[in-house]
Amino acid sequence: MKFSSPTSLLLNLGHALDHWVLAIFLYTVSVIAGVWGADWHELTPYAFGASFMFGAGSIVSGKLGDQWGRRIMMILFFAGMGLSCLLIALCQNKWQIGLALTLMGAFASIYHPVGIPMLVQRAEKPGLVIGVNGLVGNLGIAIGSSLSVILATRFGWQMAYVVPGVVCVAAAVLFAAFVPQEQEAPAKRRSKMLDLPPGVMARVFFIMTCAAVSGSIVFNFTTNSNGEMLKARLAELAANPWLLSIVLLAVFTIASIAQIAVGMLIDRFPLKTVYLPILVAQVPLFVLAAYAEGWALIAVTTLFMVFVFGAIPFTDAMIVRYVDDRMRSRVTGMRLAIGFGVSSLVVAAIGPSVKAAGFPTLLMALAAVAACTVLAISFLPNERQAAAAALKPAE
């Protein structure tokens, strides 16, 4: 599949929209709180449903993607995301928005277990494809943290949802019109990979899950709380939402570029060789961010986000290396369900935990979580040994 094909372009757009829409609430929560006469710390728990369904719904999405086919699921993704965004814009209180966000999270859960396996299923260089896809997805976060703030402050918070909602509905129409029909569902195809022995596969899946949980905690906390962290520690940004939006756009855009380099490295070297240094680098940067002050904090935040985003391609790359395409959507769905199911608690707890402990303490906690990820990945089996183990039953 070429990067310029309609299928590839729309699948990459879907990743951007997925992260854009998921980022909106926690980056516009201060605006919504001001309109409703509430405190932003009190509203963040109402994002729990979206984050939880984004993970838990991945199991169902992955199963349906393998059994029904990925094309129909992607059309459902775009249409459902668009309509749920428009529904959120109609909400009048925190309970309504909590329920509407939960519905949106259910549709958002479709993309990762369906869209990414669809994108890499015929890729000659899957690492580069995953890297580009990750770059586009995280540019969605950059848009969600900047354009959404601008729309919310200038035209009302509802417009922050109306714009991506309309784009999603249009994308559903384009996907149905230009993406070819699948010949058969992935689960019905013949295997193209040798199956790993159950013990090795269980080990890989356990390590993948541990990395997904800890990685999701780091990813969700940083992407969803960077705006409030910078506002709390830089008075200039707290007083100027437009400047804050520009800073966040720059931070996320610069950090996103790292995924292209990481994707290229994944295609050339063993996963563990590339992954471990990226994880190790996160630990001191989180510690440094806990003590950084003033504009130096922006530089440190940019650096740790480079390594947070740089780590994103690896779980998908592990699935491509170790799992046959017939069941990649289901495996991805299970991995996301566990990882984001746990990390959804982090999203809900951002406001209360910041209020109780402050950002420096929580950054130190993220350093500890990153260290746990390093420990988990250190047990990932050597790829040559895994390949040899897959060949043994046939001998």
Side-chain angles (χ1 to χ4, degrees), residues 32 62 113 197 229 246 250 370 375 387:
I32 299 172
M229 179 186 72
I246 293 171
L375 181 63

Side-chain angles (χ1 to χ4, degrees), residues 127-374:
L128 180 59
V129 171
I130 292 170
V132 172
N133 181 255
L135 165 66
V136 176
N138 288 319
L139 288 177
I141 297 174
I143 294 171
S145 64
S146 55
L147 178 60
S148 297
V149 174
I150 294 171
L151 290 171
T153 53
R154 185 160 186 175
F155 303 104
W157 70 266
Q158 294 90 343
M159 193 58 63
Y161 281 100
V162 170
V163 171
V166 172
V167 175
C168 284
V169 171
V173 175
L174 293 173
F175 205 92
F178 292 103
V179 175
Q181 294 278 355
E182 293 175 285
Q183 293 181 350
E184 58 183 343
K188 298 178 181 178
R189 298 173 191 156
R190 302 181 93 180
S191 175
K192 294 184 179 180
M193 294 176 62
L194 292 172
D195 292 330
L196 292 172
V200 177
M201 193 67 237
R203 178 181 172 187
V204 169
F205 188 75
F206 178 75
I207 293 169
M208 190 188 306
T209 302
C210 291
V213 170
S214 55
S216 295
I217 290 172
V218 171
F219 175 82
N220 275 294
F221 187 93
T222 54
T223 55
N224 288 311
S225 68
N226 278 345
E228 295 299 334
M229 179 186 72
L230 294 175
K231 283 170 59 179
R233 299 173 68 183
L234 280 89
E236 298 94 328
L237 299 184
N240 191 336
W242 283 70
L243 180 59
L244 174 63
S245 66
I246 293 171
V247 168
L248 289 171
L249 178 63
V251 168
F252 287 133
T253 301
I254 293 169
S256 296
I257 296 172
Q259 292 188 76
I260 300 293
V262 168
M264 296 173 69
L265 291 171
I266 286 173
D267 287 326
R268 297 185 61 188
F269 301 103
L271 290 177
K272 188 191 292 189
T273 304
V274 184
Y275 199 4
L276 279 175
I278 290 174
L279 294 172
V280 169
Q282 292 180 15
V283 179
L285 287 171
F286 282 132
V287 174
L288 186 59
Y291 294 99
E293 297 180 359
W295 289 91
L297 177 61
I298 296 176
V300 179
T301 300
T302 303
L303 281 175
F304 74 62
M305 287 310 302
V306 166
F307 290 98
V308 169
F309 282 0
I312 292 172
F314 286 95
T315 47
D316 291 312
M318 278 190 274
I319 291 173
V320 172
R321 292 276 175 95
Y322 294 106
V323 180
D324 189 77
D325 186 57
R326 294 171 303 159
M327 56 186 300
R328 282 179 188 163
S329 289
R330 281 167 284 177
V331 172
T332 303
M334 287 187 285
R335 186 264 296 178
L336 286 165
I338 297 171
F340 279 91
V342 173
S343 64
S344 63
L345 298 173
V346 174
V347 175
I350 287 174
S353 60
V354 168
K355 194 172 183 178
F359 281 108
T361 300
L362 294 175
L363 286 165
M364 295 295 288
L366 289 182
V369 173
C372 290
T373 314
V374 172

